[in-house]
Amino acid sequence: MRPETEAELASMIEAAQGPLRVRGGGTRAVGHSAGEVLDVGGLSGITLYDPGALTMVAQAGTPLAEVEAALTAEGQRLAFEPMDHRGLLGTSGAPTVGGMAAANVSGPRRISVGACRDFMLGVRFVDGAGQIVRNGGRVMKNVTGYDLVKLMAGSWGTLGVLTEVAFKVLPRPAAGATVLLPGLGNDAAVGAMSDALGSPFDVTGAAHLPEAPDGAPLTLIRIEGFAESVAYRAERLREMFAAHAPQVERDPERIDALWRMVRDVEPFHGRAGDVWKVSCKPSDGPAVAGRLGTSGLLFDWGGGLVWALLPEGTDARARLAGLGGHATLVRGAGRLPTFQPEPVPVAALSAGLRRRFDPRGILNPGLMA
């Protein structure tokens, strides 16, 4: 099924006799959802873009490439830096606005500007009964119903099928630099990233690769802004980490390549094994790495996000028992649950929400199992 309008989508969902598997660009094949494919790629196009108000509204099937091209032409961007899952998951197609919002996809800059959900101003969606729901607004001056907007972010299509998303955009900075710290172990790297993020130098990215492309450890600290400010802060950070033989990368193309590598977890592309995404306290990052016992690691968000490549069928959650946070199986051949099992009270709330928004249980059933 491929509706071309919101009304068609509502009619299809209302008339559905069985489960539906919601698909946008088909790039995020995460989880074990089942049912007839409901392709929302026909709901495409930017319906409003006001650069002066820093707002954009786009239909859910709009390719992100189209959004980013329009923003680049006006010197603006999606500040939360959404990840492209295709290389990691071995999928094709094109990432879409709806998929980005439904999965709350956020990249390295999340530590400084927030997640995708923090930029969402309003949504339109069709619930499991075929009802069209509108919540929030189209501009920052007139936003209501934020709670429901944020509820839809990260719901993975289990509460409703998004048809339109309104979101905030930000100006693209004039300059940037990345301070590179070579050779640090995991504990030292997390300590350095914590120091950088706690400094007054407005760090917008802090990541660590135990095995960079050359095989050696590399820690990255990013700053952005006006050229004079970036130059000053880069020098202060270089002095701050003088004991670690820092280097400063200023070439925009090389900086973009470095952070795209982190954002899209490029070191794991084309490599066999299961990919886990572990969210934890940054100070727990080294302990998480130690418990997982693998050399396939990538630290982002100052150590608060640990990507791990493990042998197929490995239960990362069993290895991490007793540590806080949660682990998501982003790519796996087995039948382990994709998402961290919720505590009983939270699971009851989640089930209640799904019953309210999808009383027949037809939207992406099995995805959260």
Side-chain angles (χ1 to χ4, degrees):
M1 295 188 290
R2 184 182 169 89
E4 299 295 327
T5 67
E6 185 180 66
E8 284 184 15
L9 173 64
S11 296
M12 289 178 180
I13 293 177
E14 183 180 17
Q17 298 299 309
L20 300 172
R21 180 156 53 96
V22 184
R23 183 176 68 190
T27 65
R28 298 184 176 93
V30 174
H32 308 296
S33 60
E36 184 177 3
V37 172
L38 178 59
D39 185 342
V40 299
L43 303 173
S44 181
I46 297 170
T47 54
L48 181 150
Y49 178 31
D50 187 342
L54 298 175
T55 54
M56 176 179 280
V57 182
Q59 294 189 74
T62 308
L64 277 182
E66 181 179 333
V67 168
E68 289 166 347
L71 293 173
T72 298
E74 295 292 338
Q76 297 179 342
R77 67 180 181 183
L78 296 173
F80 52 92
E81 208 170 357
M83 174 184 181
D84 184 341
H85 283 80
R86 286 176 291 186
L88 187 64
L89 299 181
T91 54
S92 56
T96 62
V97 167
M100 172 192 76
N104 190 35
V105 180
S106 313
R109 206 175 284 111
R110 178 176 182 169
I111 56 172
S112 63
V113 302
C116 173
R117 64 165 56 93
D118 300 306
F119 286 78
M120 291 170 58
L121 303 174
V123 293
R124 291 178 67 97
F125 65 94
V126 179
D127 69 11
Q131 300 179 95
I132 297 173
V133 181
R134 176 182 176 182
N135 193 250
R138 286 187 160 205
V139 295
M140 286 182 280
K141 294 180 181 178
N142 182 31
V143 176
T144 57
Y146 258 119
D147 289 346
L148 188 51
V149 172
K150 287 181 168 51
L151 185 66
M152 294 302 293
S155 63
W156 288 87
T158 60
L159 301 179
V161 182
L162 289 166
T163 60
E164 185 180 83
V165 182
F167 46 93
K168 176 175 63 174
V169 300
L170 290 180
R172 189 176 297 273
T178 294
V179 178
L180 308 175
L181 307 178
L184 300 185
N186 295 339
D187 288 277
V190 169
M193 291 189 290
S194 178
D195 290 343
L197 289 166
S199 75
F201 303 129
D202 195 17
V203 170
T204 66
H208 173 64
L209 290 77
E211 292 185 7
D214 65 358
L218 184 65
T219 307
L220 298 81
I221 298 169
R222 179 176 59 188
I223 50 176
E224 299 170 300
F226 295 111
E228 295 82 357
S229 172
V230 167
Y232 171 80
R233 287 180 284 139
E235 180 60 22
R236 297 290 79 77
L237 285 167
R238 191 187 65 77
E239 293 173 354
M240 182 176 173
F241 296 111
H244 300 308
Q247 304 167 25
V248 180
E249 180 60 71
R250 293 185 171 86
D251 180 83
E253 291 186 4
R254 292 178 182 173
I255 291 171
D256 286 347
L258 282 169
W259 289 98
R260 187 167 55 249
M261 175 175 61
V262 173
R263 184 196 72 181
D264 298 342
V265 199
E266 289 182 2
F268 297 175
H269 291 190
R271 294 174 61 182
D274 292 349
V275 175
W276 289 83
K277 175 182 178 181
V278 182
S279 298
C280 60
K281 292 187 299 183
S283 57
D284 285 344
V288 166
R291 291 275 196 96
L292 293 175
T294 177
S295 60
L297 294 166
L298 189 155
F299 296 76
D300 199 359
W301 302 351
L305 174 62
V306 181
W307 291 92
L309 182 67
L310 295 172
E312 290 186 4
T314 303
D315 188 349
R317 297 187 189 105
R319 294 188 178 186
L320 298 175
L323 285 176
H326 59 271
T328 302
L329 180 57
V330 176
R331 188 186 79 198
R335 298 297 298 179
L336 289 169
T338 300
F339 298 97
Q340 181 85 22
E342 296 173 325
V344 173
V346 178
L349 289 172
S350 298
L353 285 168
R354 286 195 290 272
R355 285 194 298 270
R356 172 63 183 85
F357 286 94
D358 181 20
R360 294 180 291 164
I362 63 171
L363 299 179
N364 279 348
L367 181 65
M368 296 301 183

